[in-house]
């Protein structure tokens, strides 16, 4: 609670992260904040105060190969440059968990300026590279007339409304994962 901004590369290396529920206080999520942590994330919830992702929004939610549900309660949050729904890399000929571990290890070493050519080469040998495409398993859930709704519809991503009521105050029940 009280967190207003998620910095770039702040979640690097959190490979086992399955759900990410940003506190209601978060207003900005910087680009590349989920680098090498997003590969197992299945659900993300962004609260009603999120206005934009900031100037460095590039690829904040790109490469989310497991993302199934993206909830946005803010009508003003715009995922336009976030890479949401785009996947350009995925594992081939290797179990996904092993590939994720290999990828995260290579990125960690890169972050620490070690010689990573062998590890990165190993990752690429077990990686399929696609043209950027919309994820087939992703559903975006957002309030009516929101920037996120427009993004989903313009990019052909499955979309469901979060029913909102004018003037209602929402609170998040973390135990039951509902508003």
């Amino acid at each position: 609670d009280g967190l207003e901004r998620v910095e770039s590369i702040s979640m690097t290396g959190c490979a086992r992260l399955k759900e990410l529920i940003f506190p209601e206080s978060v207003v900005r999520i910087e680009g590349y904040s989920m680098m090498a942590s997003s590969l197992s994330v299945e659900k993300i919830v962004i609260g009603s105060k999120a206005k934009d992702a900031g100037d460095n929004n590039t690829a904040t939610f790109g490469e989310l190969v497991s993302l199934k549900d993206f909830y946005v309660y803010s009508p003003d949050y715009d995922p336009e440059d976030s890479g949401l729904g785009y996947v350009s890399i995925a594992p081939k000929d290797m179990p996904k968990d092993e590939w994720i571990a290999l990828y995260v290890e290579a990125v960690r070493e890169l972050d620490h300026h070690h010689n990573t050519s062998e590890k990165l080469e190993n990752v690429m040998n077990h990686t399929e590279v696609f043209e950027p495409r919309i994820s087939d398993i992703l559903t975006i859930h957002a309030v009516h007339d929101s920037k996120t709704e427009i993004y989903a519809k313009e990019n052909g991503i499955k979309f469901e409304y979060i029913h909102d009521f004018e003037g209602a105050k929402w609170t998040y029940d973390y135990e039951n994962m509902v508003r």
Side-chain angles (χ1 to χ4, degrees):
D1 287 341
L3 178 69
E4 292 181 7
R5 185 170 150 178
V6 178
E7 297 285 337
S8 294
I9 66 169
S10 60
M11 291 177 275
T12 297
C14 302
R16 293 192 178 131
L17 194 63
K18 293 284 186 196
E19 292 186 351
L20 183 57
I21 300 170
F22 290 101
E24 192 66 26
S25 55
V26 169
V27 177
R28 259 173 95 137
I29 304 164
E30 296 291 335
Y32 301 112
S33 60
M34 299 187 70
M35 185 197 269
S37 65
S38 57
L39 301 171
S40 295
V41 173
E42 295 177 1
K43 177 181 178 181
I44 295 175
V45 177
I46 296 177
S48 64
K49 292 184 181 176
K51 300 294 182 207
D52 64 23
D55 298 331
N56 188 16
N57 187 21
T58 308
T60 302
F61 298 116
E63 308 304 346
L64 297 169
V65 297
S66 299
L67 186 64
K68 294 176 185 167
D69 293 294
F70 188 76
Y71 291 85
V72 180
Y73 289 87
S74 170
D76 299 320
Y77 180 80
D78 189 355
E80 181 62 40
D81 296 320
S82 70
L84 177 65
Y86 287 88
V87 177
S88 60
I89 59 173
K92 70 174 185 183
D93 71 13
M94 175 185 272
K96 185 177 170 185
D97 290 345
E98 287 178 37
W99 181 84
I100 289 170
L102 186 67
Y103 180 84
V104 169
E105 187 178 342
V107 170
R108 281 183 180 158
E109 286 195 5
L110 181 64
D111 284 348
H112 293 101
H113 307 290
H114 290 92
N115 181 359
T116 59
S117 58
E118 185 178 322
K119 286 203 194 281
L120 287 175
E121 186 175 316
N122 194 9
V123 168
M124 291 313 294
N125 287 337
H126 296 285
T127 302
E128 262 184 283
V129 179
F130 306 99
E131 291 297 315
R133 62 181 171 81
I134 300 297
S135 171
D136 350 356
I137 63 170
L138 175 62
T139 300
I140 292 178
H141 309 264
V143 294
H144 186 62
D145 288 335
S146 64
K147 291 179 180 180
T148 304
E149 175 189 0
I150 293 166
Y151 177 82
K153 290 179 176 180
E154 285 179 351
N155 289 283
I157 301 173
K158 287 181 271 182
F159 178 81
E160 291 182 4
Y161 287 110
I162 296 173
H163 298 287
D164 199 357
F165 302 96
E166 186 89 21
K169 295 219 176 196
W170 292 97
T171 58
Y172 196 81
D173 178 347
Y174 286 89
E175 186 175 327
N176 297 309
M177 299 293 199
V178 295
R179 280 186 173 260

